[in-house]
Amino acid sequence: MTRQATWQIRVTGVVQGVGYRPFVYKLARERQLAGWVRNDPEGVLIEASGSESALELFSAELSGRAPELARVDRVAALSRSAGRSAATSFDIVHSEHSGQKVALVPADTHVCADCLAELRDPADRRYRYPFINCTNCGPRYSIIRALPYDRSQTTMRSFDMCATCDAEYRNPMSRRFHAQPNACADCGPRLFLADRDGTVLEDQEALRQCVLELAAGRVVAVKSVGGFHLAVDAMNAESVALLRARKRRDSKPFAVMVRDLATAHRVVELSAAEEQLLRSPARPILLARKRPGAVPEGVAPRNPNLGVMLPSAPHHHLLLDESGSDILVMTSGNVSGYPIVHRNEDALGHLFEIADVILYHNREIESRVDDSVVRLSAHPDLDGAVLTFLRRGRGYAPYPVEVGRPLSPLVAYGAELKTTVALSAGSRVYLSQHIGDLKNDETFAAHRQTAAHLASLYDLRPAAGVYDMHPEFRTSRAQQGIGEPGAPIFVQHHHAHMAACMAENQLTGPTIGVIFDGAGYGIDGTIWGGEFLVGDFERFDRATHLRRLALIGGDQAVREPDRTGVSIALDTFGSIDAAVRAFPEIGLLEPDRRHVYATMRARGINSPEVSSMGRLFDGVAALLGVCARAEYEAQGPIELEGLLNRDLAMVAGYEFAYPTGEVDFRPLIRAIAADLAADVALDEISRRFHSGVVAMVARQCRDISRATGIRQVVLSGGVFLNEFLLVNCMVMLEREGLEVYSHRQVPPNDGGIALGQLLVADRAQRE
């Protein structure tokens, strides 16, 4: 006789809002089990009764056959008792709202194939309905107000389902069972199109007019999943130029949204791995190699890449299906320097400065979420493609990073630029979506709101706040947290970068950290940014660093890289006349400007010294005439790398010098000047420069490893967004016999620094 048993099973991970309970219901019936399944703050709880063999198989299939959007972290039998329970059927029961909140908030996802087919089927009742969704797709994090993920705790609570939608919602065999955003044209959200005169169109008429506006070359603001986009026909060069003029964005590349994969292949080169990432449920912006002439140069000027994404919302498909153009520029809907607009009243109040018409809807966005930006890099000497996040947002946030050991309850507030916040609970770090640069009150308020929302979702009560030690960073200066009672903890910027890469790779023990970025406040009171560190989460030493260079005008030099170019040339050649002879670009500056720069540097007037690899890249780009004025962060380094056209081939690089405790760039600058005088092509000079930096990193890490016995190396900091540098450093370090790790879950720039802050602060609290 088959032995009967009753098991209570806990499933944790992303198992709410992804069709997991209907999956369990169907699986239990298939295995002839009785009992129930429900959501609760910890995840999904199951009681199943039947034969032991069926229960064993059922338990294994809870992860092995889970729905596509589910991410099962753990399946555990909480109890096992002999004999069957009194249950005679298997049911889905009401959610339990009490208890510790550890269930993972699901991220926003694309439109699934089934819903897309219904959207385009004239016989379907949701034909052309712009908010079609089911348990396998649709908005999630952007509409959630609290856990567990039930309709009453989302922004959909204001829409009462019609009888037909309600029947679907309550039917466990329906694809829309407990799909919290479930709706149709009779009961759900609606589209509206407003123009500057106050005329408002609705529903299909709004869509049709929006299509006409795009075809006529106008700028349209489109409310998407996590906020507003600004859209134009990408193939209309005049429209692209108009958008640039209105947004005051002359050079920074735009991303495009394409109708389908076939269109994507038409404008960019895609490997199989890139295609898979592009069509993943997260639907990120993928930086791929641009096909020459595929789009007007104004879409992504002086850049071999094009940011491309597939539609992520139903009305995106409807616009692209009918606009006559299957490629739209889709850039963040905001006034420059401010966070992405996500509320209708703000869009209608501010975006007419840029847009001719605004397409919006009445489903509220609880949390603004920018598009994620990713890149895949391949090299024949690396095992698999290297995934790099340039920005982590829609589709990935707020999934946590598992660090492999329990942490103190803390909240970290990141840095000043590209900031995110992070909260710890158990062995997880919940990292927010990209928030932006804390340059104004609006972004600063969004920063605090995001921290408070994440803490509320998971019922977290951090004991202390963690800040960058830079005294002028806005968060560090204000120390306006979300109510944490403990004294603030301050963490050195580059130590946090190093710790972030260690944490996501679950590394422990002594580590070499190669940390290259623009600027970070050092423990000696100077500005760092070209660092070789040795240490762990608790402490670190500065093994060596890039030679300091004077930043003429302080932060102004970031916006005007020609200042840094002059500074580097003066350091290398000694006088302004010699600098002009070495670099014709300096000779193009007005004589008075050259004199002022030279005087400021000589007298140390507002010319702080920085050991910054990011600024070295700035200076070289300026000296080569690539970028003398930067419209956006790292424009010079990006365009300098762009000369390589994503060709990762190394050459014999320019040499550095290695005095004790320092990496001297002056020999490299002399070699660049000599090559310029010999009329060597700029792309070749760029390749020799990049190759020289890679060789220098390999040499320094090899020497540090020999001196210390440390073999594991992490690469972090915004400079490692440079694909050539990242990939070739990984290859060269592996050839040296070292174990090298990069960021693959969070950005290497300041978007990932909050993760490292938490790990360092956790160790500090335990000492």
Side-chain angles (χ1 to χ4, degrees):
M1 182 177 177
T2 305
R3 295 174 60 183
Q4 302 291 301
T6 300
W7 292 8
Q8 192 169 88
I9 302 171
R10 161 69 64 202
V11 186
T12 57
V14 182
V15 289
Q16 294 186 15
V18 293
Y20 197 80
R21 285 178 302 165
F23 155 71
V24 172
Y25 173 85
K26 295 170 187 175
L27 186 60
R29 292 185 57 165
E30 182 181 332
R31 298 296 167 211
Q32 298 182 330
L33 301 175
W36 49 262
V37 58
R38 75 179 181 207
N39 282 344
D40 66 14
E42 294 185 55
V44 165
L45 188 63
I46 304 165
E47 184 171 285
S49 183
S51 71
E52 285 194 344
S53 60
L55 287 167
E56 291 280 3
L57 186 58
F58 172 75
S59 181
E61 291 173 328
L62 289 173
S63 58
R65 290 175 56 186
E68 179 185 12
L69 298 184
R71 289 174 48 178
V72 176
D73 290 341
R74 186 166 177 259
V75 177
L78 302 182
S79 65
R80 304 185 187 200
S81 57
R84 293 184 68 98
S85 69
T88 58
S89 63
F90 197 91
D91 301 307
I92 298 175
V93 298
H94 288 295
S95 300
E96 173 62 50
H97 288 238
S98 62
Q100 183 184 8
K101 297 178 180 178
V102 296
L104 296 182
V105 175
D108 302 293
T109 62
H110 72 308
V111 189
C112 71
D114 290 332
C115 283
L116 192 56
E118 292 173 351
L119 182 72
R120 291 168 170 162
D121 181 2
D124 193 276
R125 76 185 192 92
R126 289 187 175 87
Y127 175 57
R128 293 181 57 80
Y129 180 56
F131 305 96
I132 190 170
N133 68 89
C134 69
T135 53
N136 300 320
C137 67
R140 298 291 194 271
Y141 174 55
S142 61
I143 65 171
I144 291 172
R145 288 175 169 159
L147 288 177
Y149 175 54
D150 289 330
R151 190 181 182 97
S152 62
Q153 309 215 83
T154 73
T155 60
M156 286 297 295
R157 67 180 301 172
S158 58
F159 297 97
D160 294 326
M161 284 182 283
C162 65
T164 307
C165 286
D166 187 62
E168 294 170 333
Y169 183 84
R170 297 177 185 278
N171 178 7
M173 302 305 292
S174 169
R175 200 175 84 252
R176 293 187 168 88
F177 176 75
H178 279 221
Q180 308 307 338
N182 188 38
C184 71
D186 293 332
C187 64
R190 301 175 61 191
L191 273 181
F192 304 89
L193 184 78
D195 64 17
R196 292 173 172 171
D197 297 327
T199 303
V200 178
L201 304 177
E202 300 179 6
D203 301 324
Q204 296 302 316
E205 190 177 359
L207 265 175
R208 284 191 291 270
Q209 185 59 37
C210 185
V211 166
L212 294 175
E213 298 286 342
L214 288 166
R218 298 189 179 94
V219 179
V220 178
V222 179
K223 187 176 182 181
S224 298
V225 175
F228 280 82
H229 284 110
L230 291 165
V232 295
D233 179 355
M235 302 308 292
N236 185 330
E238 292 182 0
S239 296
V240 174
L242 176 64
L243 176 57
R244 286 202 175 279
R246 290 184 181 176
K247 203 175 181 188
R248 302 183 184 93
R249 182 170 161 177
D250 294 337
S251 301
K252 190 174 182 180
F254 287 138
V256 299
M257 182 178 286
V258 297
R259 178 181 296 168
D260 49 29
L261 273 174
T263 309
H265 277 285
R266 212 172 71 224
V267 296
V268 293
E269 299 174 14
L270 291 174
S271 67
E274 287 175 317
E275 181 178 309
Q276 183 177 2
L277 184 57
L278 189 63
R279 60 195 296 269
S280 68
R283 288 294 195 269
I285 297 173
L286 172 71
L287 291 189
R289 189 196 294 268
K290 182 170 56 178
R291 292 190 185 276
V295 296
E297 177 63 16
V299 174
R302 300 177 300 283
N303 198 307
N305 294 313
L306 180 64
V308 61
M309 60 178 159
L310 292 172
S312 56
H315 58 293
H316 294 158
H317 286 279
L318 295 173
L319 289 175
L320 287 160
D321 281 352
E322 302 180 28
S323 66
S325 169
D326 47 9
I327 311 171
L328 296 176
V329 165
M330 282 281 195
T331 190
S332 297
N334 63 321
V335 176
S336 181
Y338 287 81
I340 184 173
V341 173
H342 70 299
R343 301 195 187 282
N344 294 338
E345 57 269 29
D346 294 332
L348 295 169
H350 300 295
L351 288 186
F352 279 125
E353 296 177 26
I354 305 172
D356 296 296
V357 295
I358 298 175
L359 184 70
Y360 63 101
H361 56 76
N362 59 345
R363 184 180 67 207
E364 292 181 31
I365 296 172
E366 180 68 16
S367 298
R368 59 164 65 89
V369 192
D370 275 285
D371 299 314
S372 294
V373 184
V374 298
R375 184 188 65 216
L376 274 183
S377 305
H379 191 284
D381 291 341
L382 291 179
D383 184 17
V386 178
L387 172 65
T388 302
F389 278 89
L390 287 81
R391 186 171 71 199
R392 187 176 182 268
R394 179 184 53 77
Y396 298 96
Y399 290 154
V401 176
E402 173 60 53
V403 300
R405 61 181 180 81
L407 301 173
S408 305
L410 300 166
V411 54
Y413 291 101
E416 189 85 347
L417 302 179
K418 297 186 170 36
T419 192
T420 59
V421 297
L423 294 100
S424 52
S427 61
R428 292 172 175 171
V429 174
Y430 297 96
L431 195 70
S432 79
Q433 68 274 28
H434 165 85
I435 299 168
D437 299 348
L438 302 183
K439 297 177 180 177
N440 51 65
D441 292 342
E442 287 81 355
T443 312
F444 190 54
H447 183 257
R448 294 199 307 273
Q449 290 163 4
T450 301
H453 183 55
L454 266 181
S456 175
L457 278 180
Y458 291 106
D459 198 19
L460 301 178
R461 296 176 176 83
V466 190
Y467 302 88
D468 192 290
M469 68 182 293
H470 197 304
E472 294 304 316
F473 278 6
R474 190 166 184 172
T475 52
S476 306
R477 189 173 67 249
Q479 294 175 37
Q480 294 178 0
I482 54 174
E484 54 272 15
I489 302 170
F490 296 92
V491 175
Q492 199 277 326
H493 189 87
H494 301 95
H495 190 198
H497 270 305
M498 175 178 170
C501 195
M502 290 178 65
E504 73 162 86
N505 288 287
Q506 297 191 16
L507 302 179
T508 58
T511 302
I512 299 169
V514 185
I515 316 299
F516 291 168
D517 63 2
Y521 193 75
I523 57 175
D524 59 358
T526 65
I527 302 301
W528 296 4
E531 311 306 312
F532 290 85
L533 308 181
V534 174
D536 52 25
F537 294 120
E538 297 178 46
R539 58 187 58 86
F540 72 94
D541 293 314
R542 196 182 188 197
T544 188
H545 59 83
L546 190 69
R547 176 183 174 84
R548 293 182 181 90
L549 57 91
L551 214 57
I552 299 172
D555 287 344
Q556 188 66 21
V558 178
R559 296 180 288 275
E560 299 177 7
D562 59 355
R563 294 169 179 258
T564 304
V566 170
S567 178
I568 290 171
L570 285 169
D571 189 22
T572 303
F573 293 99
S575 71
I576 194 66
D577 290 339
V580 169
R581 289 193 295 271
F583 293 104
E585 285 296 320
I586 298 178
L588 297 178
L589 295 172
E590 301 91 335
D592 286 349
R593 182 183 292 270
R594 294 199 304 267
H595 175 72
V596 168
Y597 287 173
T599 301
M600 289 177 68
R601 185 184 180 282
R603 298 180 181 177
I605 301 170
N606 191 21
S607 298
E609 291 195 336
V610 300
S611 61
S612 169
M613 183 60 75
R615 300 290 79 85
L616 178 63
F617 270 76
D618 272 352
V620 170
L623 292 174
L624 295 178
V626 172
C627 179
R629 294 287 189 275
E631 173 202 323
Y632 61 92
E633 186 188 12
Q635 180 178 348
I638 288 170
E639 294 186 359
L640 185 64
E641 184 193 7
L643 295 173
L644 306 179
N645 199 30
R646 292 196 77 172
D647 177 354
L648 303 182
M650 290 274 290
V651 296
Y654 299 127
E655 293 284 346
F656 289 80
Y658 300 94
T660 302
E662 185 177 277
V663 177
D664 188 348
F665 53 75
R666 289 177 298 178
L668 175 148
I669 300 301
R670 294 188 191 99
I672 290 176
D675 274 357
L676 272 177
D679 290 326
V680 175
L682 288 185
D683 61 338
E684 182 60 24
I685 293 176
S686 177
R687 190 171 301 279
R688 292 179 186 177
F689 168 68
H690 280 82
S691 298
V693 175
V694 171
M696 178 270 289
V697 170
R699 171 177 169 156
Q700 290 296 93
C701 289
R702 179 196 64 208
D703 291 349
I704 294 169
S705 178
R706 288 175 178 175
T708 62
I710 301 171
R711 294 185 61 249
Q712 65 185 22
V713 181
V714 296
L715 308 175
S716 189
V719 173
F720 281 107
L721 287 174
N722 183 305
E723 182 180 37
F724 186 99
L725 192 64
L726 173 67
V727 172
N728 282 300
C729 280
M730 295 181 73
V731 170
M732 294 288 285
L733 290 169
E734 287 186 357
R735 289 176 183 170
E736 293 287 349
L738 302 175
E739 300 169 3
V740 59
Y741 300 88
S742 65
H743 290 278
R744 305 203 185 198
Q745 297 184 64
V746 303
N749 61 22
D750 287 359
I753 208 167
L755 170 63
Q757 288 175 337
L758 276 185
L759 271 292
V760 174
D762 171 72
R763 287 299 175 92
Q765 283 217 318
R766 295 173 188 271
E767 288 184 346

